[in-house]
Amino acid sequence: LLISHWACALLVVLNVAMVLIDLIGLMWLWDVSINSVSIINLVLAIGLAVDYSAHIAHAFMGASGTRDERMEKSLGEMGADVMHGAISTFIAVLITGTSKSYIFQVFFRQFFGICFFGMLHGIILLPVLLSLIGPPTHVKEEENVELELTSNNGEKQVATVSSEDPDDDINKAYNIPDVSNSQHAPDMAVGPTSEAMKVPESS
């Protein structure tokens, strides 16, 4: 729902399904059988894998430009965070790899696959799919509007006003200085002076 487009959400679901398929293949290679412990970890894998993919997809939908440009922006915005999340999760469970307990061994092996495949699918497979068949953005492109402005002395001029900051564009057209910075603000009285505020003494 937060991705705000059914096609993009479908790509995230497909990405999570691929992570689960890869994880089951890793379980077969690592002699991890299907039991109550591994099933619980598989359910946890869904929540972790969707986290890696949803961030990239959400950033893609919030970017403007072509598909390739939006893909680059989404990776630049969320790619490092996805990698940090996967690496930190793996470091957190790394100590369980030295345990002799069957439960902790299964936990380590499956979480290794979750972090590894989830990160790879989130920053490699999903961006490629989005750049090829990604849906259009829900962010409106910046529109420029030409306005005919008339100054106090009657002179007319055409100013291009953008939807991003129209006030600033109009001020530039009228040559109004930017007084937002106090260093360049002109000296002006903002209220009555202290002399005017004095109350005359009663005789």
Side-chain angles (χ1 to χ4, degrees), residues 3-4 56-64 70 73 77 137-139:
I3 297 176
S4 71
I56 298 295
H58 187 267
F60 178 83
M61 293 302 301
S64 59
R70 292 162 58 199
K73 291 178 182 178
E77 181 180 347
T137 180
H138 57 68
V139 177

Side-chain angles (χ1 to χ4, degrees), residues 10-11 21 26 48 52 80-81 90 98 117 121-122 156 159 184:
L10 188 61
L11 290 177
I21 293 173
L26 181 65
L48 290 173
Y52 300 142
D81 296 332
F90 176 71
T98 61
F117 293 122
H121 285 70
K156 293 184 178 181
H184 303 286

Side-chain angles (χ1 to χ4, degrees), residues 67-143:
R67 287 195 182 101
D68 291 338
E69 292 173 347
R70 292 162 58 199
M71 182 267 293
E72 292 178 2
K73 291 178 182 178
S74 63
L75 285 178
E77 181 180 347
M78 298 303 303
D81 296 332
V82 170
M83 291 186 63
H84 292 164
I87 294 173
S88 61
T89 302
F90 176 71
I91 292 176
V93 301
L94 187 61
I95 191 64
T96 60
T98 61
S99 175
K100 296 182 180 180
S101 171
Y102 172 78
I103 296 178
F104 286 126
Q105 287 181 357
V106 172
F107 186 82
F108 169 76
R109 293 175 182 180
Q110 287 188 279
F111 263 72
F112 168 77
I114 294 170
C115 298
F116 181 73
F117 293 122
M119 181 181 65
L120 289 184
H121 285 70
I123 64 177
I124 295 179
L125 177 61
L126 183 60
V128 172
L129 293 177
L130 291 174
S131 66
L132 295 176
I133 56 175
T137 180
H138 57 68
V139 177
K140 293 183 179 180
E141 298 289 341
E142 181 181 346
E143 298 179 356

Side-chain angles (χ1 to χ4, degrees), residues 40-54:
I40 292 174
N41 291 332
L42 285 175
V43 174
L44 294 175
I46 298 175
L48 290 173
V50 73
D51 188 48
Y52 300 142
S53 302

